[in-house]
Amino acid sequence: MASTFVLLLITLVVIGVLKIVSVLHHAYFYWKNKGVPYLPNSLSSFVTVWKVFLGYITFADYCEYVYRYFPNAKYFGGVDFFTPAIILRDPELIKDIMVKDFEHFPDHRTFVDEKVEPLFGKNIFSLRGNRWKEMRNTLSPSFTASKMKFMFDLISKCSHDFVNYLVNHPELCHTIETKAVFRRYTNDVIATAAFGISVNSMKDQDNEFYIRGIEATKFSSGLLVTIKIIFLRACPWLAKLIGLTFFPAATSKFFRKIVGETINARETQDIVRPDMIHLLMQARNKDSASASKMTLDDIVSQAFIFFFAGFDTSSTLMCFAAHELAVNQDIQDRLREEIQQHLAEGNGEISYESLSKMSYMDMVISETLRKYPPVIFIDRLCTKEYELPPSQPGCKNVIVKPDNVLMFPVYALHRDPAYFPNPDKFDPERFSEENKDNIVPYTYMPFGHGPRKCIGNRFALMETKILIAHLLQKFTFKTVEKTVEPVVYTKKEFTLQPVGGFWIGLEKREP
């Protein structure tokens, strides 16, 4: 019996190895056969890819490594989880694919199958084709200027509550890990703006909204995580069979419960609140022959992705902005002057209109997004055959086939000295009225471009600017012993996160 099991195990291992070799051979020679410069074309390149997933080098370093591999190419071939991919370097081609010829590249690649993980697979980021268009049209009114203005008061209250808590607890401020506290602020903002639920995560440290947010956004690189992602993408049917999911089951259950209860309360008590849940409820109740019928899972997934993106990505932006302001006191002082000017004009309050007029604030946040973009790569999926011009002299035109993946190395473009001189320097003046027109179009894209540009970018910018404004009104940001400059990124995360966290001091200002 034992020998039969061993023989079966050996057979399965051999079949698995042969399959992997076959897939690798196809992926790595796909572009060579098309006459395109390609990665990896050496053992060292292959090893570099796996160093990322095993946590030996940062994803940001890998992005710059591949970007610089072919400095004169408009694009080159690579691999995305064993699938042939094109990495684009040329801004004009990026414009064509993201905007001009969008109908050929309207979708993102599948990260995880919606049948395995409906919480992630049914959201607006993951949806494709007509289902994506329907959802985009449904959600777009949530992010108009009038809705932003309405949500401003909700967010401003969260910001005031957060800052006042820090003012009243000076013992927390001498040396503070900003990610730990800013996530509590973004948690409260999303809870009120998307779910209509009031939470104060500084006072109620262990509220379930916050705990579930930590669970849902806890990603790290390494062998086990890599194997899990590959398995979920390569064998979704088997993952579903054995109950493997991307997020903890308790997280999915919590969001289904909270959204279900919110919808039920609004329907039974006739509550109307102009937020995302309300728009999704309206879309669900609309009879349309052309649009797909919206389910509770669809609504839960949209609310969740808004929470998922806002909870972690926005708080990270705030952390990097606070870090740079602590390191660059002259920039901090100038920004505070602008804030105080608008406070004086508004009788001590910041309004939606005054925030939108803060030009230096906009420059500071734009430069933060340039130096520390929320995503390192952006992707598009080809759905209709497309012809690319030659990658470089001596190469042929290339036909991009449906299901080919295209990757845009955002982090590397933002750090290219040809587009942003002295890229490691934090310099808001790059985005001044005099200088911003000098930025080559499509070399700066923290939120992407075109119809699939991040739908919530205005919301993220607003909640970030409000918090920075209120904090600078009450505190001076200082470097402390634990502050590391320049930032050293951890190799254990796929996003930009510093080793050991974000540490600064908040020194209370005299009224």
Side-chain angles (χ1 to χ4, degrees), residues 390-450:
S391 170
Q392 54 189 14
C395 290
K396 303 179 294 184
N397 286 16
V398 171
I399 302 297
V400 183
K401 300 283 188 183
D403 290 332
N404 280 163
V405 175
L406 288 87
M407 309 283 287
F408 309 90
V410 177
Y411 179 83
L413 283 162
H414 285 196
R415 296 294 184 114
D416 188 336
Y419 303 128
F420 299 98
N422 195 3
D424 290 329
K425 182 183 179 186
F426 186 79
D427 183 11
E429 289 302 322
R430 300 180 203 272
F431 294 91
S432 67
E433 281 299 318
E434 299 78 22
N435 296 330
K436 65 182 179 182
D437 288 341
N438 297 329
I439 296 171
V440 176
Y442 299 89
T443 60
Y444 176 72
M445 45 183 177
F447 299 109
H449 282 294

Side-chain angles (χ1 to χ4, degrees), residues 126-168:
S126 302
L127 290 176
R128 296 182 178 184
N130 286 332
R131 289 182 67 202
W132 167 75
K133 283 181 188 171
E134 290 164 11
M135 192 59 73
R136 181 86 179 194
N137 290 337
T138 298
L139 291 179
S140 290
S142 296
F143 300 99
T144 59
S146 61
K147 289 296 192 306
M148 289 294 105
K149 197 170 181 179
F150 167 79
M151 286 196 247
F152 178 87
D153 291 336
L154 298 174
I155 299 168
S156 190
K157 182 184 183 308
C158 290
S159 179
H160 273 304
D161 289 346
F162 176 83
V163 173
N164 288 339
Y165 187 90
L166 291 175
V167 168
N168 295 328

